[in-house]
Amino acid sequence: MIKIFVPRDAAALSVGADEVAAAIASEAKKRKLQVEIVRNGSRGMLYLEPLVEVTTANGRVAYGPVAPSDVASLFDAGFLEGKAHALGHGLTEEIPYFKNQERLTFARCGITDPLSIEDYRSHGGFVGLAKALQMKPIDIVTEVTTSGLRGRGGAGFPTGIKWKTVHDLPAGEKYVACNADEGDSGTFADRMLMEGDPFCLIEGMTIAAIAGGAQKGYIYVRSEYPHSVHVLREAIEIARRANWLGDNIQGTKHSFDLFVRMGAGAYICGEETSMLESIEGKRGIVRYKPPIPAIEGLFGKPTIINNVMSFAAVPIIIDKGGEFYRDYGVGRSRGTLAFQIAGNIKQGGLVEKAFGVTTRQLIEDWGGGTATGRPVRAVQVGGPLGAYIPESKFDVPMDYEEFAKVDAMVGHGGLVVFDDTVDMAKQARFAMEFCTIESCGKCTPCRIGSTRGVEVIDKIIDDIDRTKNLALLEDLCVTMADGSLCAMGGLTPFPVMSAVRGFPEDFHKPSPNKFLADAAE
Amino acid sequence: MAKKAVKQTNGSRVDQFPAPTPAEVAALASCARHGNKPDELLEIFHDLQHQLGYVPDATLPVIAKALNRSRAEIYGVLTFYHEFKRHPVGKHVVKICRAEACQSMGTDALCQHAEKSLGTSLGGTTADGMVTIEQVFCLGNCALSPAIMVGEKLYGKVDPKRFDEIIGGLEKEAAE
Ligand SMILES: Cc1cc2nc3c(=O)[nH]c(=O)nc-3n(C[C@H](O)[C@H](O)[C@H](O)COP(=O)(O)O)c2cc1C
Ligand code: SF4
C-alpha cells in the first residue's frame, strides 16, 4: 500500500493539515485507491506546511504547502508515484533547506510516526538507553561531560557537571525534571520534538534518571501546548506498556516513571526554581540559590533539571559516544543547536546545525529574507530577554562566548526577524512591558523597575526631556541588571539597551504626541 | 458549603448546611480525582476551568479544605497564573499572540482589528457572550505568524481576513 505522510505537528495543523489529510482520504476513496496516511511529525520546513510526502521507490517525495483544494490535482498529476506538480519539491531529503542541516537530535523527527515504538526502534531509538541500562551511572555522566553538552534552555551550563552533582549525592529520593515551558517568542524546537519524536525525550530523561539515581520524573509543559501534552501523555503510556518506563525497565534493576504537568501561562515558570514551585502546586515565585536544585530541588530533593533539547541530545551521545557529539561545533560550544528561524521571514522553520553558523547564513541561505520582501533591519536572538542585533553583527558565529562578547545571547536558538518598518523604540518599550506582566514580583528592581522603564521610554518617545530620560533609562537598566534575583529582571535590560545602542535613530524621532512634548517645555 | 446562620420563625438561630452548588461538587470531585494532593493544584484548576469555563471563587474554600491548605494559599496560586480565569468567559476563548515574532508580522494591527470587529477589548467578551479575546505571549507557531488559538485549536498566518473567517466559522457552528 502507498504510504502518505501528513504531519500532526501543531504548526502544520495551524495551516490546515487535518483538513488536507481528510481530503486525501476522501479523494483516495472516491478513486478506489488504497492508501495509508501516516500522521508524522514536522520536517521543520514550516514554510512548506502542510507538507505532504509520498513514499516512492527512490525515497519520499515532497509536496507543499498543500491546501485541501489542491488534493484532486495532486492525484491527477500522479503524486502517488511521485510525479511532478506545481507544489512538488522532489525528494524531501534533497531539498537544500533540509539536506544542508546536521540532524542529530532531530534525526527522526518528521520521518517516523511519533507514537509508534516499532518505528522509533527501527530508526535507532532506545539504543542509547539499552546501553545506559548496562552502564555504571558514573560512566554515563562521564560520557555526557565528554560530549561538551551545555544546557539548551538558555544559560548554557555544562550538563555533565549538573548530573555529576546529583550522582554524587547519597542514594535516596531524587527527581528528574524537564523544562518544557518554552516561553521565548521565536522558539518552537521543544514543541516540535515533543510532538514529532516524544520517545526521544522519554529516552533522554530515563538515561538521566539512571545517571543520577532518580526514581521519578516530571515534564513541565506550558498550557499553550495542548498538542504536546496529549502526545506526551500517550507516548508515556505506550512506553510504560512496552516496559521502557516503570519498574525494572527491560528486566534490569532500574525503575523510573514519568508524569506530565501543565503550566498555566506564566513566562517566569520557565525559570527553573519557579518551575519547581509550580510543579509543587504553588505560586511560581523564584527561589533563592543556594541551595541549587541539584542538591535541594523538587520537594526539597536532589533534582536534575534540563531543557527538552538537552535531554533529547543525550540518547545519541550515549549511543555514538561523547566524542562523536563533541566533534561538531566550535570553541566551547559543542554539538548542534536547533535554530528556529521565525518572525518576518520567507522560509521560516527549524534548522539543526553545528554551532558556528552565522545569523546571516540562517536568515539568508535558509530563511530567504523577509516574508514582506523588505530589507532585514533587526534580529532578536535568544528570546524576549535576548538582544536585538543590527546588520553589523550578522556575521558573528553562533557560539555562546562569541555572542556574549557582543552583548548578545544565543539562548534557546530562536531568531526573530524584523524588516525595516520596525520601530525599535516600540520594541524596547515592549521588553519592559513584558517584564511588568511576567515578573514574579519577588524583587523590586524587576517588579517596580520595569514599570518605571515603560514610563521612561514613553517619555523618550514623546520627546520629553529626551537626553535626561535616556540617561535615566540607562541607569535604571544597570540597577535592574545588577539588582535582580533572576534573569527575568536581570536580562530585560539587554533587549532594551541593544535597541538604544544599535538603533539610536529610533529614539530621536519627532514625537507622535507633539502637544505633550510642547506642554512639557 | 459555608455554614449559613438562618433565622427561625421563633427567633432562634440554627446553623444549616445548604446543599453544595454544582461548582462546589465539581471542585470536590476534581480534588478527589487528584488524590487530594496539594501539588496537583494546578491540574485541579485546569480541570475546573475546562468544565466550568472559569474557577469560581466559591470553590476555593472547598479546595482548601480538601487539600488541607489555607484559603489564602489557594487564592494566591489561582491569581498568580494568567491562564486561570475567575469570572465567566465567552463560549469560545480566542487567544491572540502578542509576542515578538507575531509583532514582526503585524499582530498589533490584528489585535486592533479584533477589538474593533468584535466590539470589545483584549480581555473582554462580546455582548452576545460568544467570544472572549485575550492576549498571550507565544503559541510556539513563530514561523507562521501571526498566530491565534481558539480553544485548543491553533491557527497560523492569521491576517484580519482570516480572523474574520475563523470567527465567522464559530458563529456558523453555533447557529447550526
Ligand atoms: C525568566 C526565565 C525564563 C526561562 N525560560 C525557560 C524555558 O522556557 N525553558 C527552559 O528550558 N529554560 C528556561 N529558562 C532557563 C532555566 O532557568 C534553566 O536554566 C534551564 O531549565 C536549565 O536547563 P538546561 O541546563 O538544560 O538549559 C528560563 C530562565 C529564566 C530566568
Ligand atoms: S528578577 Fe523578577 S522574576 Fe526574577 S525573582 Fe526578581 S522579581 Fe522575580
Side-chain angles (χ1 to χ4, degrees), chain A residues 330-490:
Chain A
V330 291
R332 294 207 295 118
S333 306
R334 310 310 310 179
T336 58
L337 187 64
F339 295 98
Q340 301 127 87
I341 318 178
N344 190 339
I345 190 84
K346 201 162 136 211
Q347 302 183 150
L350 180 135
V351 175
E352 183 175 353
K353 267 310 260 185
F355 286 94
V357 63
T358 65
T359 304
R360 193 183 304 282
Q361 287 173 310
L362 289 167
I363 61 177
E364 289 177 6
D365 299 353
W366 274 274
T370 61
T372 45
R374 304 182 66 93
V376 176
R377 178 139 186 263
V379 179
Q380 188 178 29
V381 185
L385 306 177
Y388 284 95
I389 61 174
E391 217 237 309
S392 59
K393 292 179 183 171
F394 286 179
D395 296 308
V396 177
M398 289 285 174
D399 167 311
Y400 294 115
E401 281 68 38
E402 292 301 318
F403 258 61
K405 274 188 215 158
V406 296
D407 287 331
M409 163 173 107
V410 175
H412 191 49
L415 282 74
V416 178
V417 179
F418 292 81
D419 72 11
D420 62 351
T421 60
V422 66
D423 177 351
M424 295 305 297
K426 206 170 141 196
Q427 296 311 119
R429 184 190 190 279
F430 175 76
M432 284 291 187
E433 184 198 355
F434 186 67
C435 188
T436 65
I437 298 169
E438 300 297 343
S439 166
C440 86
K442 187 157 179 155
C443 45
T444 321
C446 171
R447 184 184 68 243
I448 311 279
S450 52
T451 302
R452 294 290 95 87
V454 172
E455 294 165 1
V456 172
I457 296 174
D458 276 341
K459 284 185 191 154
I460 295 168
I461 292 173
D462 287 335
D463 196 10
I464 300 170
D465 283 339
R466 229 174 219 164
T467 318
K468 212 175 104 200
N469 279 311
L470 275 166
L472 193 60
L473 178 63
E474 179 143 7
D475 190 56
L476 175 67
C477 281
V478 172
T479 307
M480 286 176 71
D482 292 349
S484 297
L485 178 59
C486 84
M488 179 83 228

Side-chain angles (χ1 to χ4, degrees), chain B residues 53-70:
Chain B
Y54 71 111
V55 183
D57 279 352
T59 61
L60 301 185
V62 180
I63 298 171
K65 197 158 174 234
L67 305 187
N68 197 18
R69 286 287 185 272
S70 74

Side-chain angles (χ1 to χ4, degrees), chain B residues 111-112 114-127 131-133:
Chain B
C111 288
Q112 278 169 15
E115 292 186 328
K116 210 167 137 219
S117 66
L118 294 173
T120 182
S121 47
L122 288 177
T125 303
T126 52
V131 176
T132 296
I133 45 171

Side-chain angles (χ1 to χ4, degrees), chain A residues 17 81 126 131-132 256 260 287 361 366 406 410 433 476 503:
Chain A
E81 292 95 51
F126 289 133
K131 259 194 188 171
F256 179 63
V260 175
R287 295 180 185 172
Q361 287 173 310
W366 274 274
V406 296
V410 175
E433 184 198 355
L476 175 67
F503 308 87

Side-chain angles (χ1 to χ4, degrees), chain A residues 149-159 162 177-184 187 190 222 267-275 286 289 305-311 385 412 434 438 486-489 491:
Chain A
L149 177 67
R150 291 166 69 177
R152 301 291 188 237
F157 186 82
T159 305
K162 208 182 262 186
C178 174
N179 191 338
D181 199 49
E182 196 165 63
D184 293 359
T187 66
D190 295 354
R222 60 204 303 258
Y267 178 76
I268 193 59
C269 288
E271 194 283 334
E272 56 185 7
T273 62
S274 165
M275 178 185 84
V286 173
K289 286 192 259 192
I305 303 176
N306 279 118
N307 173 252
V308 176
M309 288 293 110
S310 315
F311 283 124
L385 306 177
H412 191 49
F434 186 67
E438 300 297 343
C486 84
M488 179 83 228
L491 293 183

Side-chain angles (χ1 to χ4, degrees), chain A residues 29 106 129 131 139 175 185 217 230 311 320 353 377 390:
Chain A
K29 202 168 158 207
F106 282 85
L129 176 53
K131 259 194 188 171
D139 294 338
Y175 293 94
S185 175
H230 296 316
F311 283 124
K320 305 226 161 128
K353 267 310 260 185
R377 178 139 186 263

